[in-house]
Amino acid sequence: MAKSPVHPGAVIDGFVVGECVHAGGMATLWSVTRADIDRPLLMKIPRVAEGEDPAAIVSFEMEQLILPKLSGPHVPACFGIGDFAHQAYVVIERIPGETLYKRLPELPLAYEEARGLVTGIATALADLHKQHVIHHDIKPSSIMFRPSGEAVLIDYGLSCHKHLPDLLQEEFRLPYGTAPYMAPERLTGVRNDPRSDLFSLGVLLYFFTTAVRPFGETETLRGMQRRLWRDPYPPRQLKADYPPWLQEIVLRCLEIEPKGRYPTAAQLAFDLSHPDQVKLTARAEKAKRDSITTVWRRRFNRGLVQPESVADVAAQIASSPIVAIAVDTAEGTDELNGALRLAAARILAPLPAARLACVNVLKLGRITIDRTLDEQGKNKHVDRLVQLRHWASPLKLDASRLTVHVLEAVDPASAILEFAKANQVDHIIIGARRDSVLRTLLGSVSAKIAAEANCTVTVVRPPRLAAGGMAVAEAAKPAKR
């Protein structure tokens, strides 16, 4: 038998092959080096021998198409691909450490630890979706964490990209994926809805906090189809101390219909980052599975069994932004606050899935000792939270779409910018005050935010009477990403 071209010491397109580090069912991984690349590398080789699953070849082609188009800390960097005419491969960076699969013997994890892990994964998913990719195989063995803390999503053989052909969809009729984590709509052929990844992440969060998979270990298509009408046991039925906010998040991710889940991974990450502000519904207190009547109604209602598909990943994200508005409750004039409210209403009106984060900065002194109570003995932080909710009340937003945040910082502009970055804010609305000598010398908060934010920024000026008696406001152009 001819020697395989891939073996220790072989040279493929300048890559020197080292040891085989993993032999999986669809591909093998080899350590490789190249003189001009100073970081550890892995070469992934598909299994193409006689009798191998044809889907393994197609999924490898998808990985070859998608990986070179990805960038950022949440994906492995790609350094080369080889075609099937000579030797098919992809070369990616070798991320130190193990996948989350290695943590399964430790389950269940503490709630706070699981929350931190899944927040990082949701953040990675949000970044991936913005690059027009749906992963379709979110599970413990597809997730790693960099030493710097960022979650990294690996294995893109089952993924689809908005701007690339979906070879799996074109060539196969059966859904491919990991059965315990597969979203219901995947069983009906829907592959262009990013909320499928949120369902899988909900399964992972359920599993990591209860040590029980919500839909069991079944691998049969018939068994998997039950999730089209059958909900899982609520986590609190398995663990009496399960936090209501966490059950709310988990069960929202596991809604059978995609429209019942979080609209975006960024909004899921936001709720995980602010558990004290999660809007609790009947999900949070649910102690039993749905009644048999509800289950049978789902089973024989074709509208529910065949969920609606979204237009594409970009459209889903664009329709569900996170908007942050900076409200100055201490010094803000009624005119400016009214203008800010009007701007927020106009931006949110065509976006029913958008959410609004009202932010106020409690400015700290650089060298003074700050007091938590004001002259009337009220807690400053709590008082401003109340004021923010009062400011937002005329907008009449559903409680699930509104959060309020008081940040304590010496530099208000930096605090708002950091909040926007940490919470994947898509749009910042901030007021600009009238000119003053101090602001001329030191620069304004709104100017710094407009200059440095990596998202769209709208700057609203207090209304002034223009010719003809019309109130006017100014809006900044979107900041460059």
PDB file of all heavy atoms in Angstrom, residues 2 33 55 62 65 67 76 109 115 126 158 173 191 230 255 269 319 337 356 369 371 374 389 393 399 412 443 446 476:
ATOM      1  N   ALA A   2       0.509   2.244  -0.820  1.00  0.00           N
ATOM      2  CA  ALA A   2       1.294   3.471  -0.915  1.00  0.00           C
ATOM      3  C   ALA A   2       1.233   4.233   0.400  1.00  0.00           C
ATOM      4  O   ALA A   2       0.207   4.262   1.078  1.00  0.00           O
ATOM      5  CB  ALA A   2       0.764   4.348  -2.050  1.00  0.00           C
ATOM      6  N   THR A  33       4.491  23.154  11.140  1.00  0.00           N
ATOM      7  CA  THR A  33       5.261  24.394  11.286  1.00  0.00           C
ATOM      8  C   THR A  33       5.578  24.933   9.897  1.00  0.00           C
ATOM      9  O   THR A  33       5.566  24.194   8.900  1.00  0.00           O
ATOM     10  CB  THR A  33       6.580  24.169  12.042  1.00  0.00           C
ATOM     11  OG1 THR A  33       7.353  23.188  11.348  1.00  0.00           O
ATOM     12  CG2 THR A  33       6.321  23.706  13.470  1.00  0.00           C
ATOM     13  N   ALA A  55     -20.634  13.059   3.415  1.00  0.00           N
ATOM     14  CA  ALA A  55     -20.907  14.336   4.077  1.00  0.00           C
ATOM     15  C   ALA A  55     -19.641  14.910   4.697  1.00  0.00           C
ATOM     16  O   ALA A  55     -19.516  16.131   4.845  1.00  0.00           O
ATOM     17  CB  ALA A  55     -21.983  14.156   5.153  1.00  0.00           C
ATOM     18  N   MET A  62     -16.988  23.080   3.031  1.00  0.00           N
ATOM     19  CA  MET A  62     -17.589  24.256   3.654  1.00  0.00           C
ATOM     20  C   MET A  62     -16.600  24.942   4.580  1.00  0.00           C
ATOM     21  O   MET A  62     -16.493  26.168   4.618  1.00  0.00           O
ATOM     22  CB  MET A  62     -18.842  23.868   4.447  1.00  0.00           C
ATOM     23  CG  MET A  62     -20.062  23.541   3.596  1.00  0.00           C
ATOM     24  SD  MET A  62     -20.521  24.847   2.441  1.00  0.00           S
ATOM     25  CE  MET A  62     -20.640  26.266   3.512  1.00  0.00           C
ATOM     26  N   LEU A  65     -14.188  26.934   2.633  1.00  0.00           N
ATOM     27  CA  LEU A  65     -14.781  28.159   2.107  1.00  0.00           C
ATOM     28  C   LEU A  65     -14.916  29.238   3.179  1.00  0.00           C
ATOM     29  O   LEU A  65     -14.658  30.419   2.931  1.00  0.00           O
ATOM     30  CB  LEU A  65     -16.162  27.863   1.505  1.00  0.00           C
ATOM     31  CG  LEU A  65     -16.217  27.070   0.204  1.00  0.00           C
ATOM     32  CD1 LEU A  65     -17.666  26.702  -0.121  1.00  0.00           C
ATOM     33  CD2 LEU A  65     -15.613  27.880  -0.944  1.00  0.00           C
ATOM     34  N   LEU A  67     -13.585  29.396   6.647  1.00  0.00           N
ATOM     35  CA  LEU A  67     -12.500  29.801   7.549  1.00  0.00           C
ATOM     36  C   LEU A  67     -11.673  30.991   7.044  1.00  0.00           C
ATOM     37  O   LEU A  67     -11.373  31.906   7.814  1.00  0.00           O
ATOM     38  CB  LEU A  67     -11.588  28.614   7.849  1.00  0.00           C
ATOM     39  CG  LEU A  67     -12.022  27.715   9.018  1.00  0.00           C
ATOM     40  CD1 LEU A  67     -11.157  26.469   9.096  1.00  0.00           C
ATOM     41  CD2 LEU A  67     -11.974  28.470  10.341  1.00  0.00           C
ATOM     42  N   PRO A  76     -10.476  30.743  15.027  1.00  0.00           N
ATOM     43  CA  PRO A  76      -9.064  30.418  14.802  1.00  0.00           C
ATOM     44  C   PRO A  76      -8.580  31.066  13.510  1.00  0.00           C
ATOM     45  O   PRO A  76      -9.275  31.025  12.489  1.00  0.00           O
ATOM     46  CB  PRO A  76      -9.063  28.890  14.702  1.00  0.00           C
ATOM     47  CG  PRO A  76     -10.449  28.547  14.248  1.00  0.00           C
ATOM     48  CD  PRO A  76     -11.361  29.578  14.834  1.00  0.00           C
ATOM     49  N   LEU A 109     -21.764  22.745  36.914  1.00  0.00           N
ATOM     50  CA  LEU A 109     -20.917  23.840  37.352  1.00  0.00           C
ATOM     51  C   LEU A 109     -21.715  24.789  38.247  1.00  0.00           C
ATOM     52  O   LEU A 109     -22.949  24.807  38.228  1.00  0.00           O
ATOM     53  CB  LEU A 109     -20.400  24.629  36.151  1.00  0.00           C
ATOM     54  CG  LEU A 109     -19.536  23.879  35.132  1.00  0.00           C
ATOM     55  CD1 LEU A 109     -19.055  24.846  34.060  1.00  0.00           C
ATOM     56  CD2 LEU A 109     -18.362  23.180  35.799  1.00  0.00           C
ATOM     57  N   ARG A 115     -22.558  30.950  34.059  1.00  0.00           N
ATOM     58  CA  ARG A 115     -22.992  32.226  33.481  1.00  0.00           C
ATOM     59  C   ARG A 115     -21.816  32.917  32.775  1.00  0.00           C
ATOM     60  O   ARG A 115     -21.950  33.421  31.657  1.00  0.00           O
ATOM     61  CB  ARG A 115     -23.554  33.142  34.562  1.00  0.00           C
ATOM     62  CG  ARG A 115     -24.038  34.495  34.034  1.00  0.00           C
ATOM     63  CD  ARG A 115     -24.568  35.368  35.164  1.00  0.00           C
ATOM     64  NE  ARG A 115     -23.495  35.905  35.989  1.00  0.00           N
ATOM     65  CZ  ARG A 115     -22.837  37.044  35.707  1.00  0.00           C
ATOM     66  NH1 ARG A 115     -23.140  37.731  34.621  1.00  0.00           N
ATOM     67  NH2 ARG A 115     -21.892  37.472  36.519  1.00  0.00           N
ATOM     68  N   ALA A 126     -22.181  36.298  18.734  1.00  0.00           N
ATOM     69  CA  ALA A 126     -22.604  37.592  18.188  1.00  0.00           C
ATOM     70  C   ALA A 126     -21.605  38.080  17.146  1.00  0.00           C
ATOM     71  O   ALA A 126     -21.986  38.580  16.079  1.00  0.00           O
ATOM     72  CB  ALA A 126     -22.753  38.614  19.314  1.00  0.00           C
ATOM     73  N   LEU A 158     -20.281  22.303   9.454  1.00  0.00           N
ATOM     74  CA  LEU A 158     -21.741  22.301   9.309  1.00  0.00           C
ATOM     75  C   LEU A 158     -22.296  23.716   9.185  1.00  0.00           C
ATOM     76  O   LEU A 158     -23.512  23.907   9.144  1.00  0.00           O
ATOM     77  CB  LEU A 158     -22.387  21.601  10.508  1.00  0.00           C
ATOM     78  CG  LEU A 158     -21.938  20.157  10.766  1.00  0.00           C
ATOM     79  CD1 LEU A 158     -22.711  19.572  11.939  1.00  0.00           C
ATOM     80  CD2 LEU A 158     -22.136  19.304   9.526  1.00  0.00           C
ATOM     81  N   ARG A 173     -30.478  15.846   2.112  1.00  0.00           N
ATOM     82  CA  ARG A 173     -31.822  16.141   2.601  1.00  0.00           C
ATOM     83  C   ARG A 173     -31.922  16.003   4.127  1.00  0.00           C
ATOM     84  O   ARG A 173     -32.698  16.692   4.773  1.00  0.00           O
ATOM     85  CB  ARG A 173     -32.838  15.198   1.931  1.00  0.00           C
ATOM     86  CG  ARG A 173     -33.015  15.490   0.455  1.00  0.00           C
ATOM     87  CD  ARG A 173     -33.758  16.792   0.223  1.00  0.00           C
ATOM     88  NE  ARG A 173     -33.844  17.122  -1.184  1.00  0.00           N
ATOM     89  CZ  ARG A 173     -33.102  18.034  -1.782  1.00  0.00           C
ATOM     90  NH1 ARG A 173     -32.202  18.697  -1.077  1.00  0.00           N
ATOM     91  NH2 ARG A 173     -33.238  18.283  -3.055  1.00  0.00           N
ATOM     92  N   ARG A 191     -31.944  26.547   7.676  1.00  0.00           N
ATOM     93  CA  ARG A 191     -30.523  26.695   8.008  1.00  0.00           C
ATOM     94  C   ARG A 191     -30.065  28.152   8.011  1.00  0.00           C
ATOM     95  O   ARG A 191     -28.890  28.422   8.234  1.00  0.00           O
ATOM     96  CB  ARG A 191     -29.665  25.894   7.016  1.00  0.00           C
ATOM     97  CG  ARG A 191     -29.567  24.422   7.366  1.00  0.00           C
ATOM     98  CD  ARG A 191     -28.732  23.646   6.370  1.00  0.00           C
ATOM     99  NE  ARG A 191     -27.410  24.194   6.116  1.00  0.00           N
ATOM    100  CZ  ARG A 191     -26.341  23.982   6.881  1.00  0.00           C
ATOM    101  NH1 ARG A 191     -26.443  23.231   7.975  1.00  0.00           N
ATOM    102  NH2 ARG A 191     -25.175  24.521   6.568  1.00  0.00           N
ATOM    103  N   ARG A 230     -42.414  18.998  22.071  1.00  0.00           N
ATOM    104  CA  ARG A 230     -42.266  18.692  23.484  1.00  0.00           C
ATOM    105  C   ARG A 230     -41.186  19.558  24.121  1.00  0.00           C
ATOM    106  O   ARG A 230     -40.056  19.595  23.660  1.00  0.00           O
ATOM    107  CB  ARG A 230     -41.910  17.201  23.653  1.00  0.00           C
ATOM    108  CG  ARG A 230     -42.099  16.613  25.052  1.00  0.00           C
ATOM    109  CD  ARG A 230     -43.290  17.163  25.722  1.00  0.00           C
ATOM    110  NE  ARG A 230     -43.883  16.352  26.755  1.00  0.00           N
ATOM    111  CZ  ARG A 230     -44.556  16.880  27.785  1.00  0.00           C
ATOM    112  NH1 ARG A 230     -44.659  18.199  27.911  1.00  0.00           N
ATOM    113  NH2 ARG A 230     -45.136  16.118  28.661  1.00  0.00           N
ATOM    114  N   GLU A 255     -37.038  27.915  23.543  1.00  0.00           N
ATOM    115  CA  GLU A 255     -38.379  28.009  22.958  1.00  0.00           C
ATOM    116  C   GLU A 255     -38.413  27.241  21.634  1.00  0.00           C
ATOM    117  O   GLU A 255     -37.473  27.303  20.838  1.00  0.00           O
ATOM    118  CB  GLU A 255     -38.753  29.466  22.714  1.00  0.00           C
ATOM    119  CG  GLU A 255     -39.106  30.243  23.971  1.00  0.00           C
ATOM    120  CD  GLU A 255     -40.497  29.889  24.504  1.00  0.00           C
ATOM    121  OE1 GLU A 255     -41.238  29.160  23.814  1.00  0.00           O
ATOM    122  OE2 GLU A 255     -40.829  30.339  25.614  1.00  0.00           O
ATOM    123  N   ALA A 269     -26.227  37.744  25.463  1.00  0.00           N
ATOM    124  CA  ALA A 269     -25.038  38.089  26.254  1.00  0.00           C
ATOM    125  C   ALA A 269     -25.328  39.247  27.195  1.00  0.00           C
ATOM    126  O   ALA A 269     -24.842  39.273  28.333  1.00  0.00           O
ATOM    127  CB  ALA A 269     -23.879  38.434  25.322  1.00  0.00           C
ATOM    128  N   SER A 319     -32.328  44.249  12.718  1.00  0.00           N
ATOM    129  CA  SER A 319     -33.661  44.535  13.264  1.00  0.00           C
ATOM    130  C   SER A 319     -33.701  44.444  14.784  1.00  0.00           C
ATOM    131  O   SER A 319     -34.742  44.750  15.391  1.00  0.00           O
ATOM    132  CB  SER A 319     -34.689  43.563  12.677  1.00  0.00           C
ATOM    133  OG  SER A 319     -34.431  42.234  13.112  1.00  0.00           O
ATOM    134  N   ASN A 337     -33.454  66.509  27.936  1.00  0.00           N
ATOM    135  CA  ASN A 337     -33.983  65.174  28.204  1.00  0.00           C
ATOM    136  C   ASN A 337     -35.178  64.863  27.314  1.00  0.00           C
ATOM    137  O   ASN A 337     -35.370  63.726  26.876  1.00  0.00           O
ATOM    138  CB  ASN A 337     -34.362  65.036  29.674  1.00  0.00           C
ATOM    139  CG  ASN A 337     -33.141  64.814  30.561  1.00  0.00           C
ATOM    140  OD1 ASN A 337     -32.104  64.356  30.082  1.00  0.00           O
ATOM    141  ND2 ASN A 337     -33.257  65.155  31.824  1.00  0.00           N
ATOM    142  N   LEU A 356     -33.303  48.935  24.797  1.00  0.00           N
ATOM    143  CA  LEU A 356     -32.733  50.217  25.187  1.00  0.00           C
ATOM    144  C   LEU A 356     -32.086  50.099  26.558  1.00  0.00           C
ATOM    145  O   LEU A 356     -32.699  49.631  27.516  1.00  0.00           O
ATOM    146  CB  LEU A 356     -33.829  51.287  25.226  1.00  0.00           C
ATOM    147  CG  LEU A 356     -33.382  52.711  25.584  1.00  0.00           C
ATOM    148  CD1 LEU A 356     -32.528  53.289  24.468  1.00  0.00           C
ATOM    149  CD2 LEU A 356     -34.590  53.604  25.847  1.00  0.00           C
ATOM    150  N   ILE A 369     -12.881  61.938  48.687  1.00  0.00           N
ATOM    151  CA  ILE A 369     -13.594  60.757  49.173  1.00  0.00           C
ATOM    152  C   ILE A 369     -15.057  60.927  48.801  1.00  0.00           C
ATOM    153  O   ILE A 369     -15.718  61.894  49.204  1.00  0.00           O
ATOM    154  CB  ILE A 369     -13.453  60.605  50.705  1.00  0.00           C
ATOM    155  CG1 ILE A 369     -11.979  60.409  51.063  1.00  0.00           C
ATOM    156  CG2 ILE A 369     -14.299  59.450  51.211  1.00  0.00           C
ATOM    157  CD1 ILE A 369     -11.730  60.351  52.558  1.00  0.00           C
ATOM    158  N   ARG A 371     -19.031  60.216  48.730  1.00  0.00           N
ATOM    159  CA  ARG A 371     -20.074  59.760  49.654  1.00  0.00           C
ATOM    160  C   ARG A 371     -21.194  59.098  48.868  1.00  0.00           C
ATOM    161  O   ARG A 371     -21.546  59.529  47.769  1.00  0.00           O
ATOM    162  CB  ARG A 371     -20.627  60.944  50.463  1.00  0.00           C
ATOM    163  CG  ARG A 371     -19.554  61.634  51.305  1.00  0.00           C
ATOM    164  CD  ARG A 371     -20.166  62.737  52.153  1.00  0.00           C
ATOM    165  NE  ARG A 371     -19.147  63.410  52.943  1.00  0.00           N
ATOM    166  CZ  ARG A 371     -18.682  62.961  54.096  1.00  0.00           C
ATOM    167  NH1 ARG A 371     -19.164  61.824  54.595  1.00  0.00           N
ATOM    168  NH2 ARG A 371     -17.757  63.624  54.761  1.00  0.00           N
ATOM    169  N   ASP A 374     -26.680  61.477  49.414  1.00  0.00           N
ATOM    170  CA  ASP A 374     -26.740  62.905  49.108  1.00  0.00           C
ATOM    171  C   ASP A 374     -27.114  63.690  50.357  1.00  0.00           C
ATOM    172  O   ASP A 374     -27.206  63.142  51.471  1.00  0.00           O
ATOM    173  CB  ASP A 374     -27.727  63.174  47.962  1.00  0.00           C
ATOM    174  CG  ASP A 374     -29.151  62.743  48.299  1.00  0.00           C
ATOM    175  OD1 ASP A 374     -29.457  62.546  49.498  1.00  0.00           O
ATOM    176  OD2 ASP A 374     -29.970  62.610  47.375  1.00  0.00           O
ATOM    177  N   ARG A 389     -35.573  55.168  35.242  1.00  0.00           N
ATOM    178  CA  ARG A 389     -36.835  54.488  34.896  1.00  0.00           C
ATOM    179  C   ARG A 389     -37.948  55.505  34.697  1.00  0.00           C
ATOM    180  O   ARG A 389     -38.798  55.348  33.816  1.00  0.00           O
ATOM    181  CB  ARG A 389     -37.204  53.469  35.976  1.00  0.00           C
ATOM    182  CG  ARG A 389     -36.273  52.268  36.014  1.00  0.00           C
ATOM    183  CD  ARG A 389     -36.899  51.072  36.671  1.00  0.00           C
ATOM    184  NE  ARG A 389     -35.987  49.931  36.635  1.00  0.00           N
ATOM    185  CZ  ARG A 389     -35.885  49.082  35.621  1.00  0.00           C
ATOM    186  NH1 ARG A 389     -36.646  49.262  34.553  1.00  0.00           N
ATOM    187  NH2 ARG A 389     -35.033  48.067  35.665  1.00  0.00           N
ATOM    188  N   SER A 393     -40.141  56.059  31.199  1.00  0.00           N
ATOM    189  CA  SER A 393     -41.535  55.613  31.260  1.00  0.00           C
ATOM    190  C   SER A 393     -42.403  56.130  30.115  1.00  0.00           C
ATOM    191  O   SER A 393     -43.266  55.386  29.612  1.00  0.00           O
ATOM    192  CB  SER A 393     -42.158  55.975  32.615  1.00  0.00           C
ATOM    193  OG  SER A 393     -42.120  57.371  32.823  1.00  0.00           O
ATOM    194  N   ALA A 399     -40.997  45.786  29.549  1.00  0.00           N
ATOM    195  CA  ALA A 399     -39.911  45.683  30.535  1.00  0.00           C
ATOM    196  C   ALA A 399     -38.751  44.830  30.039  1.00  0.00           C
ATOM    197  O   ALA A 399     -37.604  45.028  30.446  1.00  0.00           O
ATOM    198  CB  ALA A 399     -40.452  45.120  31.844  1.00  0.00           C
ATOM    199  N   PRO A 412     -16.586  60.267  32.647  1.00  0.00           N
ATOM    200  CA  PRO A 412     -17.866  59.787  32.118  1.00  0.00           C
ATOM    201  C   PRO A 412     -17.765  59.240  30.696  1.00  0.00           C
ATOM    202  O   PRO A 412     -18.373  58.214  30.387  1.00  0.00           O
ATOM    203  CB  PRO A 412     -18.753  61.037  32.173  1.00  0.00           C
ATOM    204  CG  PRO A 412     -18.164  61.876  33.251  1.00  0.00           C
ATOM    205  CD  PRO A 412     -16.688  61.654  33.158  1.00  0.00           C
ATOM    206  N   GLY A 443     -12.820  69.754  26.378  1.00  0.00           N
ATOM    207  CA  GLY A 443     -13.511  68.878  25.443  1.00  0.00           C
ATOM    208  C   GLY A 443     -14.754  68.286  26.070  1.00  0.00           C
ATOM    209  O   GLY A 443     -14.824  68.092  27.278  1.00  0.00           O
ATOM    210  N   SER A 446     -19.698  64.221  24.803  1.00  0.00           N
ATOM    211  CA  SER A 446     -20.308  63.781  23.545  1.00  0.00           C
ATOM    212  C   SER A 446     -19.291  63.769  22.404  1.00  0.00           C
ATOM    213  O   SER A 446     -19.308  62.870  21.559  1.00  0.00           O
ATOM    214  CB  SER A 446     -21.498  64.670  23.191  1.00  0.00           C
ATOM    215  OG  SER A 446     -21.105  66.022  23.085  1.00  0.00           O
ATOM    216  N   ALA A 476     -24.933  63.031  14.712  1.00  0.00           N
ATOM    217  CA  ALA A 476     -23.613  62.727  14.151  1.00  0.00           C
ATOM    218  C   ALA A 476     -23.731  61.606  13.148  1.00  0.00           C
ATOM    219  O   ALA A 476     -24.636  60.785  13.215  1.00  0.00           O
ATOM    220  CB  ALA A 476     -22.648  62.321  15.268  1.00  0.00           C
TER     221      ALA A 476
END
